[in-house]
């Protein structure tokens, strides 16, 4: 039998110290050493240690020998005959030391209880997740499917399987506002999860073009694929024996849990190289236009890093993990030409750039974050206008949100209207009906005027970022632009704490002025926030992004604005 368990430190300490103290008494002549007073102290110690161990680690069947030994040790305290005490103490030591073997080999020893916490989370979400009817979440099906996964993680005592189950569970909701945190930190679990799911690195990524072709990108010159003729921009037909369109439609898009099916298909080709083993058969069209069928060897053990690089190129944003120093400061601007500027709104939080905000607090008449951000943005817009710019690009790409009030307040600087921004909604009954509650208003004070504005978004534009996108998108002089829609996660969330994890999910419904759920996709997975201009992923875009490493969306926005006088 293989010894698969590790003895818990507290359990080992309890056994070792208890047995050690009793062994001292066993081999000591009590009369000669005159230690009768010490017996009152020593004999209860194993019991106290056992009680503490149960309080911390819980009652363990495998520790019954230790518990029995502790009880016998207490019995010794009340025995007057020295020889009887020695016999009972010896039996106690045997029981304690004998505990080690079942602890090491029993599958029940120190078995983690992952299921109980999962059921607690599931029951909580079934009661409080505000979009449960709107998205038609089948909690019974989730319970059945993930019970098996958490049981497997329990059986194997595998924290990586445990984390993977939680991560995949949150993606079942297709809601960017449903996510977990692990109370002891997520980094190790997340790294293990992403690298194990990303498959091998074959020295290339795949993306989908607007005409439906799947093409190679970020081809590694040192890879076997490159040696076989694979180049950036060439068309892939089959991977590992499967047609690429089939793989796009069946692959689990594990990383992002897309809310919109069209957005999902834009990114789906990224997962195609995740399907092979150490070798993979590929069929592609080479530079001479010939169809080539070859078997290639993998270039690396994990394709995650190449996947991530290509993902952020498609998102057209800086990767915060590797290039955080290249991210522009929040609420900063840059003059691009004589009449055009770009304004960066990275999130709905006050920039942490060492700015003295006392003047903005005084200007706003409030220290509330939304008021200070509005005052800061007002000054930036006035400075842009003073520089002679009449056209503006607002960059919301990767704006993951923040304070909802800040989004409403900043939107007020671009409109003259006073109107309802949104309503709060509350579920009533068990059929998905809801009541319209308190309204939040936009009180317009148009600082910018009627100059043309392009708002750039991507799938990382979420939450408060989508709120300002939504409010600006209603204005006649604003064009919403991107490769895809934004994230589709606009409801109000709360974080709930459990033993091992915390989980965030929407608990307050936010409605548009017509009383409809704002932005989030329903069971049909169609986000309710359309763009005005969908930028095509054509050959020109591919060359700019993957060959020349350019910000193609920004260039496209500049060209678009050039048509306006």
């Amino acid at each position: 039998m293989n010894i698969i368990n590790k003895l818990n430190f507290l359990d080992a300490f309890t056994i070792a110290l208890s047995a050690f103290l009793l062994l001292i008494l066993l081999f000591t002549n009590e009369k000669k050493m005159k230690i009768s007073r010490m017996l009152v102290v020593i004999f209860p110690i194993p019991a106290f240690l056992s009680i503490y161990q149960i309080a911390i680690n819980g009652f363990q069947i495998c520790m019954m020998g230790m518990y029995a030994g502790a009880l016998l040790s207490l019995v010794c305290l009340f025995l007057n005959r020295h020889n009887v005490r020695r016999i009972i103490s010896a039996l106690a030591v045997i029981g304690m030391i004998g505990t080690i073997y079942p602890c090491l080999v029993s599958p029940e020893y120190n078995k983690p209880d992952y299921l109980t916490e999962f059921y607690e989370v599931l029951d909580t979400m079934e009661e409080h997740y505000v979009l449960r009817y709107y998205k038609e979440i089948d909690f019974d099906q989730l319970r059945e499917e993930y019970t098996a996964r958490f049981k497997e993680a329990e059986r194997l005592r595998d924290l990586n399987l445990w984390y993977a189950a939680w991560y995949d569970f949150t993606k079942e909701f297709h809601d960017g506002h449903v996510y977990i945190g692990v109370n002891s930190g997520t980094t190790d679990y997340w790294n293990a999860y992403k690298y194990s799911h990303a498959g091998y690195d074959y020295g290339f990524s795949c993306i989908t073009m607007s005409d439906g072709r799947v093409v190679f990108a970020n081809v590694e010159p040192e890879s076997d694929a490159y040696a076989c003729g694979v180049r950036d921009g060439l068309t892939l037909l089959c991977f590992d024996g499967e047609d690429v369109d089939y793989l796009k439609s069946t692959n689990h898009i594990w990383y992002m849990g897309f809310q919109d099916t069209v957005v999902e298909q834009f990114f789906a080709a990224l997962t195609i190289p995740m399907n092979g083993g150490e070798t993979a058969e590929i069929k592609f069209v080479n530079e001479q236009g010939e169809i080539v069928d070859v078997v290639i060897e993998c270039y690396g053990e994990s394709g995650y890093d190449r996947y991530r690089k290509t993902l952020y190129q498609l998102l057209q944003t800086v990767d915060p993990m590797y290039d955080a120093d290249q991210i522009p400061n929040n609420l900063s601007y840059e003059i691009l030409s004589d009449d055009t500027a770009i304004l960066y709104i990275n999130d709905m939080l006050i920039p942490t750039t060492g700015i003295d905000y006392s003047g903005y607090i005084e200007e706003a008449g409030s220290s509330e974050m939304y008021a200070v951000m509005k005052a800061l943005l007002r000054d930036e817009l006035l400075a842009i206008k003073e520089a002679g710019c009449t056209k503006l690009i607002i960059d919301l790409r990767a704006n993951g949100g923040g304070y909802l009030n800040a989004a409403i307040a900043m939107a007020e600087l671009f409109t003259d209207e006073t109107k309802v921004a949104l309503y709060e909604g509350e579920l009533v009954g068990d059929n998905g009906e809801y009541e319209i509650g308190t309204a939040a208003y936009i009180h317009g004070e148009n600082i910018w005027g009627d100059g043309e504005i392009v708002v750039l978004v991507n799938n990382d534009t979420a939450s408060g970022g989508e709120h300002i996108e939504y409010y600006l998108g209603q204005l006649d002089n604003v064009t919403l632009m991107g490769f895809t829609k934004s994230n589709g996660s606009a409801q109000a969330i709360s974080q709930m704490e459990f033993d091992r994890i915390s989980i965030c999910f929407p608990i307050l419904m936010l409605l548009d002025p017509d009383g409809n759920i704002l932005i989030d996709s329903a069971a049909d997975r169609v986000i309710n926030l359309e763009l005005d201009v969908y930028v095509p992923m054509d050959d020109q875009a591919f060359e700019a992004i993957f060959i020349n490493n350019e910000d193609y969306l920004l260039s496209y926005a500049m060209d678009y604005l050039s048509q306006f006088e």
Side-chain angles (χ1 to χ4, degrees):
M1 179 184 294
N2 292 325
I3 296 177
I4 60 170
N5 300 329
K6 292 183 178 179
L7 199 61
N8 179 276
F9 173 79
L10 180 57
D11 295 349
F13 178 79
T14 300
I15 294 170
L17 181 58
S18 299
F20 176 72
L21 291 174
L22 293 183
L23 284 170
I24 290 177
L25 295 178
L26 274 173
F27 294 101
T28 301
N29 189 315
E30 296 180 19
K31 294 181 179 180
K32 289 184 178 181
M33 298 300 295
K34 298 181 180 180
I35 60 171
S36 58
R37 293 182 180 178
M38 293 179 60
L39 300 180
V40 178
V41 176
I42 293 176
F43 280 132
I45 287 177
F48 291 141
L49 287 173
S50 295
I51 292 171
Y52 180 72
Q53 179 271 336
I54 292 172
I56 299 299
N57 290 342
F59 181 85
Q60 299 276 356
I61 293 294
C62 294
M63 290 285 288
M64 284 299 294
M66 176 64 222
Y67 303 149
L71 183 60
L72 290 174
S73 179
L74 277 179
V75 170
C76 290
L77 187 62
F78 302 100
L79 297 176
N80 294 322
R81 297 180 62 180
H82 172 64
N83 289 336
V84 175
R85 268 205 307 265
R86 288 172 65 91
I87 293 171
I88 300 298
S89 296
L91 291 175
V93 171
I94 292 172
M96 293 172 182
I97 296 176
T99 299
I100 296 174
Y101 180 76
C103 287
L104 289 177
V105 301
S106 172
E108 297 303 315
Y109 169 68
N110 212 24
K111 182 179 178 181
D113 185 6
Y114 297 152
L115 265 182
T116 298
E117 186 172 46
F118 168 64
Y119 291 152
E120 289 175 358
V121 171
L122 194 68
D123 292 341
T124 301
M125 293 190 69
E126 188 169 11
E127 181 178 358
H128 297 290
Y129 180 51
V130 76
L131 298 179
R132 58 190 181 276
Y133 300 111
Y134 181 65
K135 289 181 176 286
E136 300 178 12
I137 302 299
D138 188 339
F139 282 94
D140 290 335
Q141 180 180 344
L142 291 176
R143 184 182 300 271
E144 180 180 353
E145 177 180 349
Y146 283 89
T147 290
R149 293 189 59 176
F150 281 106
K151 278 186 175 179
E152 182 71 359
E154 279 185 359
R155 185 181 69 82
L156 297 175
R157 293 175 171 81
D158 192 322
L159 281 171
N160 292 324
L161 287 179
W162 168 78
Y163 179 82
W166 274 122
Y167 187 88
D168 289 347
F169 168 76
T170 63
K171 298 311 172 188
E172 299 281 0
F173 294 83
H174 297 288
D175 185 343
H177 272 158
V178 177
Y179 55 90
I180 66 162
V182 178
N183 293 342
S184 60
T186 62
T187 303
D188 291 341
Y189 306 123
W190 169 231
N191 285 338
Y193 178 80
K194 68 189 181 185
Y195 283 104
S196 65
H197 279 62
Y200 287 97
D201 178 16
Y202 295 97
F204 59 79
S205 293
C206 298
I207 69 164
T208 302
M209 306 294 283
S210 293
D211 60 10
R213 287 178 295 140
V214 171
V215 302
F216 297 105
N218 288 322
V219 178
E220 177 62 49
E222 302 299 321
S223 66
D224 190 39
Y226 189 91
C228 292
V230 172
R231 299 291 185 271
D232 286 317
L234 295 182
T235 300
L236 175 66
L237 302 174
C238 296
F239 184 89
D240 211 32
E242 299 287 355
D243 181 82
V244 291
D245 289 331
Y246 172 78
L247 291 175
K248 285 198 302 177
S249 66
T250 58
N251 274 358
H252 174 49
I253 313 297
W254 56 273
Y255 175 61
M256 301 182 75
F258 295 97
Q259 283 63 265
D260 191 286
T261 54
V262 175
V263 177
E264 182 175 274
Q265 284 305 300
F266 178 81
F267 291 100
L270 284 172
T271 65
I272 288 176
M274 298 178 185
N275 292 276
E278 293 185 359
T279 63
E281 180 183 0
I282 61 172
K283 182 185 292 186
F284 67 99
V285 181
N286 67 13
E287 290 181 300
Q288 290 73 42
E290 302 166 337
I291 295 178
V292 179
D293 196 335
V294 296
V295 175
I296 59 171
E297 296 181 357
C298 67
Y299 177 74
E301 291 186 356
S302 175
Y304 177 76
D305 289 332
R306 194 176 305 277
Y307 162 88
R308 184 182 179 98
K309 176 184 178 181
T310 309
L311 171 66
Y312 276 92
Q313 287 175 300
L314 288 175
L315 290 170
Q316 290 280 266
T317 53
V318 174
D319 186 341
M321 180 180 291
Y322 300 114
D323 302 306
D325 58 332
Q326 298 180 26
I327 300 175
N329 291 330
N330 191 25
L331 296 182
S332 64
Y333 71 89
E334 181 182 349
I335 304 299
L336 300 177
S337 68
D338 292 340
D339 63 356
T340 305
I342 183 169
L343 173 67
Y344 301 100
I345 306 181
N346 302 338
D347 52 48
M348 298 299 141
L349 302 170
I350 289 180
T352 55
T353 54
I355 298 174
D356 180 4
Y357 292 106
S358 56
Y360 296 109
I361 293 173
E362 183 178 350
E363 178 185 341
S366 170
S367 60
E368 293 285 348
M369 182 174 292
Y370 73 89
V372 175
M373 290 188 71
K374 181 177 179 180
L376 178 57
L377 179 58
R378 180 187 290 109
D379 282 7
E380 299 292 86
L381 289 175
L382 291 175
I384 291 171
K385 291 183 68 175
E386 187 175 344
C389 294
T390 58
K391 303 171 187 176
L392 183 63
I393 299 172
I394 299 178
D395 193 349
L396 296 180
R397 292 174 292 179
N399 183 318
Y403 288 91
L404 175 58
N405 287 341
I408 295 174
M410 289 194 288
E412 291 176 338
L413 299 176
F414 296 93
T415 180
D416 294 312
E417 293 185 284
T418 295
K419 59 181 181 179
V420 172
L422 57 82
Y423 292 104
E424 294 180 0
E426 182 178 357
L427 283 173
V428 290
D430 297 326
N431 57 3
E433 293 182 0
Y434 53 85
E435 292 179 347
I436 296 177
T438 306
Y441 288 86
I442 287 178
H443 300 281
E445 49 169 311
N446 193 355
I447 298 297
W448 174 250
D450 59 0
E452 290 295 324
I453 300 173
V454 168
V455 177
L456 295 178
V457 302
N458 64 14
N459 190 249
D460 277 358
T461 307
S463 193
E466 287 183 286
H467 278 271
I468 193 169
E469 174 195 356
Y470 171 76
Y471 304 134
L472 292 177
Q474 298 173 39
L475 304 178
D476 292 337
N477 62 324
V478 172
T479 300
L480 302 180
M481 181 182 293
F483 284 125
T484 70
K485 294 178 183 178
S486 50
N487 191 269
S489 306
Q491 306 303 298
I493 66 173
S494 179
Q495 178 172 301
M496 297 190 180
E497 299 287 341
F498 295 87
D499 288 342
R500 294 182 178 87
I501 71 158
S502 61
I503 187 162
C504 288
F505 60 89
I507 62 166
L508 178 63
M509 190 178 292
L510 300 178
L511 311 173
D512 66 22
D514 296 324
N516 302 311
I517 290 176
L518 187 64
I519 300 175
D520 285 67
S521 61
D524 60 3
R525 294 181 59 198
V526 177
I527 295 171
N528 298 310
L529 182 53
E530 290 288 348
L531 302 186
D532 299 302
V533 175
Y534 288 91
V535 178
M537 178 57 69
D538 54 18
D539 291 335
Q540 182 178 353
F542 182 92
E543 182 177 1
I545 295 169
F546 295 103
I547 306 301
N548 300 328
N549 199 28
E550 297 174 359
D551 188 340
Y552 182 71
L553 284 180
L554 179 57
S555 300
Y556 199 96
M558 289 282 290
D559 290 342
Y560 177 85
L561 286 174
S562 66
Q563 66 181 299
F564 299 99
E565 294 297 331

